[in-house]
Amino acid sequence: SIKVREKHGLLASIGGIIINLLLFAIKILIGILSFSLSIISDAINNLTDMFSCIVNLLGFKIASKPADEDHPYGHERVEYITGMIVSFIILAVSVLLFYTSIQKLIYHDNDVHIDLLTFIILGVAIGGKVLLGLYYYSIGKLINSVSLKAAMQDSLNDAICTTGVLVSSIIMYFIPSLWYIDPIVSILVSLFIFYSGLKMVKETSNPLIGIGPNHELVKKIVDDIKTFEGVLGVHDLVFHSYGPTNMFMTIHVEVDGYANM
């Protein structure tokens, strides 16, 4: 039901806000103290994830509103719109990180200081993001939420990005002369984030543009109709989706015009 979706969506969003805020605060502190652009980039990525969770939170609240005179089919498509907003935020951040990283590489800014605490923090962050992604996946699958599935993918992408940052930090710790690895990894992280953003734009825009019905669902409905006595066939099935739980379908059923039904 819509209320169940709202409660699960709010639970997932609030959990994401808390975890991403903690990760951002810790990473930005470590990044500033170590002068590491890749860590700061990773921290900013967590900040955008927190904003994404806030957008999802608002989206679930609005999507749960009942149908009214101006919106006779309900508000569930708002969930797709929030997913689209999150995607554009991710794209914007990736462009900013890419520009900053190129600047650092060009001007040879190599004042990076890495210590063992950095490795511990990044390792914990990777584990936290993986767990958060699994958390999103379980709830997103339960309520069939496009925005939560996108958030799950984003969390796993973050874990991959942070792993790259951790590897580069370890290399710079043992070989300080390889300072340029930091901006290079930051560039790779920004490109990865940009790719993820484009993928999310596609996934969230498809339901807004209009997608076909689930073939298994159609087959089940058609098979159920054909079980009624007197039904000769079906045709001209038309499907409209106004949200994950709000779908309309019309279908022409063929019967014997001379039969008394």
Side-chain angles (χ1 to χ4, degrees):
S1 67
I2 295 178
K3 287 298 179 184
V4 171
R5 288 182 61 81
E6 180 188 6
K7 290 180 180 178
H8 281 84
L10 294 180
L11 181 65
S13 299
I14 292 172
I17 291 171
I18 295 172
I19 292 176
N20 281 304
L21 181 59
L22 288 173
L23 290 176
F24 165 74
I26 295 172
K27 285 183 183 178
I28 198 68
L29 179 61
I30 295 297
I32 292 173
L33 292 176
S34 63
F35 299 99
S36 172
L37 182 59
S38 59
I39 296 177
I40 293 175
S41 299
D42 204 30
I44 294 174
N45 191 26
N46 286 135
L47 183 63
T48 61
D49 290 342
M50 187 192 74
F51 287 135
S52 299
C53 291
I54 294 174
V55 172
N56 281 336
L57 183 69
L58 296 174
F60 277 110
K61 287 294 292 183
I62 298 173
S64 65
K65 292 173 59 179
D68 52 35
E69 184 177 347
D70 294 328
H71 308 92
Y73 298 105
H75 301 78
E76 287 191 34
R77 280 187 175 177
V78 170
E79 187 179 329
Y80 304 140
I81 297 174
T82 58
M84 180 76 73
I85 293 172
V86 169
S87 303
F88 285 126
I89 291 174
I90 291 172
L91 288 175
V93 169
S94 68
V95 172
L96 179 61
L97 293 180
F98 181 83
Y99 174 78
T100 305
S101 303
I102 291 293
Q103 289 288 99
K104 183 170 183 177
L105 194 60
I106 291 174
Y107 294 108
H108 300 277
D109 185 1
N110 59 352
D111 192 18
V112 180
H113 306 287
I114 304 294
D115 55 26
L116 293 177
L117 180 61
T118 302
F119 305 150
I120 297 173
I121 295 297
L122 292 177
V124 171
I126 293 170
K129 271 299 184 176
V130 170
L131 291 176
L132 183 61
L134 294 175
Y135 177 63
Y136 283 145
Y137 175 77
S138 61
I139 297 181
K141 185 178 181 180
L142 182 66
I143 64 176
N144 190 29
S145 169
V146 173
S147 59
L148 285 184
K149 288 178 181 178
M152 177 273 295
Q153 186 62 54
D154 189 39
S155 291
L156 295 182
N157 290 344
D158 289 346
I160 294 173
C161 291
T162 305
T163 300
V165 173
L166 175 60
V167 171
S168 69
S169 298
I170 292 174
I171 293 174
M172 286 186 295
Y173 179 78
F174 290 103
I175 312 175
S177 60
L178 299 180
W179 63 270
Y180 48 83
I181 288 180
D182 183 58
I184 289 176
V185 169
S186 184
I187 290 172
L188 293 176
V189 169
S190 67
L191 292 175
F192 193 80
I193 295 172
F194 187 81
Y195 169 77
S196 300
L198 287 179
K199 188 176 179 181
M200 288 172 61
V201 167
K202 180 181 178 182
E203 291 176 354
T204 54
S205 63
N206 281 341
L208 288 172
I209 296 172
I211 56 176
N214 182 285
H215 294 296
E216 293 182 2
L217 175 62
V218 172
K219 185 177 185 302
K220 184 178 184 303
I221 292 174
V222 171
D223 289 343
D224 286 345
I225 293 174
K226 288 182 177 180
T227 60
F228 287 91
E229 183 179 355
V231 174
L232 303 177
V234 297
H235 62 91
D236 290 349
L237 184 147
V238 179
F239 171 86
H240 294 283
S241 173
Y242 292 94
T245 67
N246 195 8
M247 293 171 283
F248 295 84
M249 184 179 295
T250 60
I251 187 170
H252 292 189
V253 180
E254 301 170 1
V255 297
D256 186 350
Y258 296 98
N260 184 10
M261 301 180 66

